[in-house]
Amino acid sequence: MNHFPQGEEKPGLVERYATTIKLFFVAMLTLMLLIPLAMIQSLIGERQNTRQEVVREITSKWGGEQTITGPCLVIPYEEIRVEEKREIVERRNLLLLPETLDAKISTSVEERRRGIYDASVYRSNILLTGEFDISVIARQNLNPSQVKWNDVRMIIGLSDLKGIQEQVSLEQDGEVTIFEPGIPVENLEPGRGSASDNMLYELFSVGLNAKPAFPTPDSALQEIYPFSVAMRLNGSRGIYVVPAGKTTTASIQSDWTTPSFDGEFLPQTREISDKGFVAEWRVLDLNRSFGQVIRSDNSNTLNQMAASRFGVRFIQAVDQYRQNMRSVKYGILVLLLTFVAVLFIELMRKRRINPFQYLLVGLALLLFYTLLLSMSELLGFNLAYLIAAVMTTLLISLHMGSILGSQRQGVQIGVLLLFLYLFLFLLIQMESYALLAGSLGLFVILAVIMYYSKQLR
């Protein structure tokens, strides 16, 4: 039986369990604030989608991502098959790939703006040189009389013809031929591939064609035919080469300082500086899964050909939306630790804080992320993070100092917030070691909370 001094009233249920009730309230408030936190995540995704739409609009008028396939020779021939004692003549096409292919590409990258958004576009000068070995056709059990030599075409697959800036010329033994738009080849499968951003692309859906110069059909199968193709091409996001040659060499140089080498093959050598980069590739036919002669209707082989492309993507060095999303994912940690710190000060200093003040602090912490998102689109992520963190810290410090009647305790809360924002900024900047650093940091924070919790009764 409990006894209380005379004249002193027995504590009520609320007073006896005030600490437990306040802890329950803080936990429930934290969970409730996860709803607007999720809405902020949705807002970041929406702004990112808006930027992508603007980028697509800009690049659709300038020229999209370019994949260069070829040159290839289309060899039409007639195949005779017997069906019900009747001879049926079918016209088919072979794609003859070059024996050697050397691609020299130089690009100049520009930024085009629409409102607060920008897109990276480029101008490129491309020179494709190499040679065809026509004798390879004889190994396909194909009689020279079956080949329609007058209908042989040279084709080049491109991704977006809007990017062509000048006439594309074919130089062959001193003779110049101008390419025409389109790929007039029957039953030619486009050859589909999937990019790193899950976008689909096709090799021969659009492109160019030209009538190459050949000697008489009698000597055609014994000849080596060199070629040289020059073009000026606009594009965006990236530029790729398909290793069509039995030996393919490629060199890409640019003034872009943050390249992302992409595709099936990485460059053998690369140099990156503050003035740009130079990268070189060398791919053999042994490195890929298709041969030098392909039937135009063989979709599996053409898809393998599409998947073998390599090149470079012109990406932004910092993606502020990705960093904003990472910062929001740590939002619950900032909310919870700030509430715990305020609760500790309230209980240890025996100063009651109205629950409405907790709500105001939580809303101020959430406002940090909208400030960060809006300012990072204009100022960049790092500067926006600094400004938003200082503004939020000052607001909460001054408010809590006024509520607690002690500017010193307000400063203590401000120092804690600055530490949390600094800790989270370091985690956001990390890639490989973010999990390790975050786990160790949380362990230390939990140890500090456990130490100071001993003073609570």
Side-chain angles (χ1 to χ4, degrees):
M1 185 175 180
N2 295 328
H3 298 277
F4 297 92
Q6 188 175 2
E8 185 173 330
E9 295 184 1
K10 178 180 178 180
L13 182 64
V14 175
E15 294 178 352
R16 281 185 289 167
Y17 297 99
T19 302
T20 303
I21 293 173
K22 188 58 71 74
L23 286 172
F24 178 77
F25 168 77
V26 168
M28 293 303 298
L29 180 60
T30 304
L31 293 176
M32 288 175 58
L33 291 177
L34 289 181
I35 298 175
L37 202 62
M39 295 173 65
I40 294 174
Q41 286 184 321
S42 177
L43 177 62
I44 295 173
E46 181 182 337
R47 300 293 291 183
Q48 188 173 24
N49 291 336
T50 301
R51 179 184 181 276
Q52 291 173 350
E53 290 176 4
V54 172
V55 170
R56 280 194 293 268
E57 183 179 352
I58 295 174
T59 57
S60 66
K61 296 176 174 59
W62 177 271
E65 182 181 276
Q66 298 286 8
T67 299
I68 304 166
T69 309
C72 307
L73 286 181
V74 180
I75 310 294
Y77 68 97
E78 290 183 345
E79 187 176 73
I80 300 175
R81 62 183 178 87
V82 178
E83 186 175 307
E84 296 180 355
K85 299 181 180 181
R86 291 186 306 164
E87 288 187 350
I88 299 176
V89 179
E90 292 184 343
R91 184 164 176 138
R92 299 185 182 278
N93 296 292
L94 291 178
L95 284 181
L96 176 62
L97 306 186
E99 193 74 6
T100 62
L101 174 63
D102 180 49
K104 288 184 169 56
I105 302 173
S106 62
T107 67
S108 175
V109 183
E110 307 172 9
E111 287 191 0
R112 295 299 173 96
R113 298 190 68 85
R114 179 73 57 83
I116 63 173
Y117 304 108
D118 57 58
S120 299
V121 299
Y122 63 81
R123 305 175 190 267
S124 67
N125 293 314
I126 301 170
L127 179 63
L128 306 173
T129 58
E131 59 185 23
F132 288 97
D133 182 3
I134 309 298
S135 66
V136 175
I137 297 177
R139 305 170 200 166
Q140 306 299 312
N141 298 321
L142 188 64
N143 193 310
S145 62
Q146 295 176 260
V147 178
K148 301 298 180 181
W149 295 104
N150 290 331
D151 296 332
V152 173
R153 309 292 291 186
M154 179 181 288
I155 63 172
I156 299 177
L158 297 174
S159 300
D160 193 344
L161 297 184
K162 289 193 297 294
I164 298 176
Q165 297 303 295
E166 292 181 351
Q167 294 286 355
V168 180
S169 59
L170 165 65
E171 184 177 345
Q172 200 174 15
D173 292 330
E175 185 173 341
V176 177
T177 305
I178 301 300
F179 276 88
E180 300 175 357
I183 302 181
V185 181
E186 297 180 0
N187 302 321
L188 176 60
E189 290 291 328
R192 295 178 175 85
S194 178
S196 57
D197 54 2
N198 296 322
M199 297 289 290
L200 295 177
Y201 60 89
E202 296 181 342
L203 297 186
F204 295 113
S205 59
V206 294
L208 306 172
N209 75 94
K211 174 70 175 173
F214 280 125
T216 61
D218 295 335
S219 61
L221 291 177
Q222 285 77 43
E223 293 290 339
I224 298 294
Y225 296 99
F227 64 86
S228 176
V229 178
M231 70 176 78
R232 293 182 61 190
L233 193 64
N234 287 352
S236 59
R237 295 192 300 272
I239 188 166
Y240 293 85
V241 175
V242 173
K246 189 172 184 178
T247 300
T248 301
T249 55
S251 173
I252 301 178
Q253 62 179 3
S254 175
D255 55 0
W256 190 251
T257 57
T258 57
S260 173
F261 301 109
D262 191 22
E264 191 69 11
F265 303 97
L266 293 176
Q268 287 190 328
T269 62
R270 58 184 177 180
E271 296 180 5
I272 304 174
S273 67
D274 55 359
K275 296 182 179 180
F277 73 90
V278 177
E280 296 181 347
W281 288 260
R282 187 171 186 269
V283 181
L284 305 177
D285 60 335
L286 299 176
N287 304 135
R288 51 180 213 203
S289 55
F290 54 91
Q292 289 304 107
V293 181
I294 303 172
R295 281 185 49 165
S296 63
D297 58 354
N298 189 336
S299 60
N300 289 334
T301 302
L302 289 170
N303 289 343
Q304 291 172 350
M305 188 175 175
S308 67
R309 73 171 189 169
F310 60 85
V312 61
R313 293 179 66 85
F314 303 105
I315 62 171
Q316 298 289 341
V318 177
D319 184 353
Q320 67 266 22
Y321 296 105
R322 179 168 167 264
Q323 291 182 310
N324 270 277
M325 189 65 75
R326 291 189 65 186
S327 66
V328 172
K329 290 180 179 179
Y330 293 110
I332 186 173
L333 177 64
V334 177
L335 287 170
L336 188 58
L337 292 179
T338 304
F339 286 158
V340 169
V342 173
L343 179 62
F344 273 23
I345 292 176
E346 175 185 356
L347 297 177
M348 293 172 62
R349 305 297 182 185
K350 300 186 184 301
R351 298 292 301 269
R352 291 192 177 185
I353 300 177
N354 193 294
F356 181 69
Q357 304 300 333
Y358 279 89
L359 178 61
L360 291 178
V361 171
L363 294 177
L365 294 173
L366 293 179
L367 188 59
F368 163 81
Y369 298 103
T370 58
L371 288 171
L372 176 60
L373 174 61
S374 59
M375 289 191 293
S376 64
E377 293 180 326
L378 300 174
L379 306 176
F381 182 82
N382 292 350
L383 181 58
Y385 191 97
L386 174 62
I387 296 174
V390 171
M391 289 176 61
T392 304
T393 301
L394 286 176
L395 177 63
I396 295 177
S397 298
L398 293 174
H399 178 70
M400 293 308 300
S402 175
I403 294 299
L404 295 170
S406 171
Q407 292 301 322
R408 178 183 176 184
Q409 292 174 2
V411 170
Q412 290 176 349
I413 295 176
V415 170
L416 171 66
L417 277 175
L418 286 177
F419 169 78
L420 287 177
Y421 284 132
L422 177 61
F423 175 63
L424 295 182
F425 181 79
L426 295 177
L427 289 183
I428 293 169
Q429 300 303 313
M430 292 181 179
E431 293 289 344
S432 302
Y433 300 102
L435 179 60
L436 176 61
S439 300
L440 292 175
L442 289 177
F443 181 84
V444 173
I445 291 172
L446 180 60
V448 172
I449 293 175
M450 293 174 67
Y451 173 79
Y452 282 102
S453 66
K454 295 187 300 181
Q455 303 181 38
L456 299 179
R457 294 292 185 264

